[in-house]
Amino acid sequence: MNTTTTAPAATAPAAAEADPLRLTLVVGSNRHGRFGPVVADWLLGRIRGRDDLVAEVVDVAETALPMSLEPTPEATAALSGITPKLARADAFVVLTPEYNHSFPAGLKNLVDWHFTEWQAKPVGLVSYGGLSGGLRAVEHLRQVFAELHAVTVRDTVSFHHAGASFDDRGALRDPSGPDAAAKTMLDQLVWWGRALREARVNRPYGG
């Protein structure tokens, strides 16, 4: 009798789990002379060095969303370049400075123009600033994303006295700590991203 067995073919969920997560990086600063692009470039290097994430960027400074939340033709045109990037994302990283003890109004406005795009997806938070490193902005963002039914991951990356952390070429003077922190945060984001992606497919979120 032939007792040879063959391994079962990979199931669709298992195959999907191996697919890279689509990650949208939201750059939250729009202040003149902002430092955000320096941190964003470093962060994108960490993301693009992984085979489990595929990144694209939404930059608040490059949007023209009115503050009224009125669906004008101008708002619709601006949203056409933003909303699809949020809708197709499996996960997000939000990069924020700290302005006056919180995060920028332009970032809040972009967040508020959307709702279902954030739902049942994980959010990693990266901040920069002076003495606090932007951590007060991060704590406020956690409350906002909880209201939007998103899941913020526990570990963050923060740069205290950010300007002194990078040299004139935009390279970190001492990358060991930030690189390790970014890996931890992105590992958590991938875990939650895969779990929630599978959950949304099998049990659409109705919150």
Side-chain angles (χ1 to χ4, degrees), residues 6-172:
T6 57
T11 62
E17 183 177 338
D19 292 341
L21 292 173
R22 294 166 295 186
L23 183 147
T24 296
L25 169 62
V26 179
V27 181
S29 172
N30 58 355
R31 177 177 285 179
H32 176 71
R34 62 191 180 143
F35 192 74
V38 175
V39 184
D41 287 345
W42 166 80
L43 185 58
L44 283 168
R46 308 283 73 71
I47 294 169
R48 289 169 177 162
R50 301 174 63 111
D51 59 8
D52 50 6
L53 292 169
V54 176
E56 57 185 343
V57 177
V58 169
D59 190 338
V60 169
E62 296 176 359
T63 68
L65 290 172
M67 301 294 287
S68 65
L69 299 182
E70 180 184 359
T72 62
E74 293 77 15
T76 300
L79 288 167
S80 68
I82 301 169
T83 303
K85 293 182 179 181
L86 303 182
R88 63 178 168 253
D90 298 307
F92 304 97
V93 172
V94 176
L95 170 61
T96 184
E98 184 174 313
Y99 293 173
N100 300 320
H101 218 88
S102 190
F103 56 93
L107 174 57
K108 183 63 161 61
N109 191 42
L110 184 145
V111 169
D112 289 348
W113 270 100
H114 300 87
F115 182 65
T116 57
E117 291 81 6
W118 307 110
Q119 284 187 337
K121 297 178 183 179
V123 181
L125 297 166
V126 178
S127 64
Y128 61 95
L131 184 63
S132 75
L135 291 175
R136 292 174 292 203
V138 164
E139 291 309 306
H140 291 177
L141 280 168
R142 289 192 188 279
Q143 298 174 62
V144 171
F145 281 113
E147 182 67 18
L148 293 166
H149 301 252
V151 178
T152 57
V153 302
R154 189 269 184 192
D155 285 73
T156 65
V157 182
S158 61
F159 291 96
H160 304 256
H161 301 295
S165 299
F166 293 82
D167 64 22
D168 293 341
R169 298 173 293 108
L172 279 169

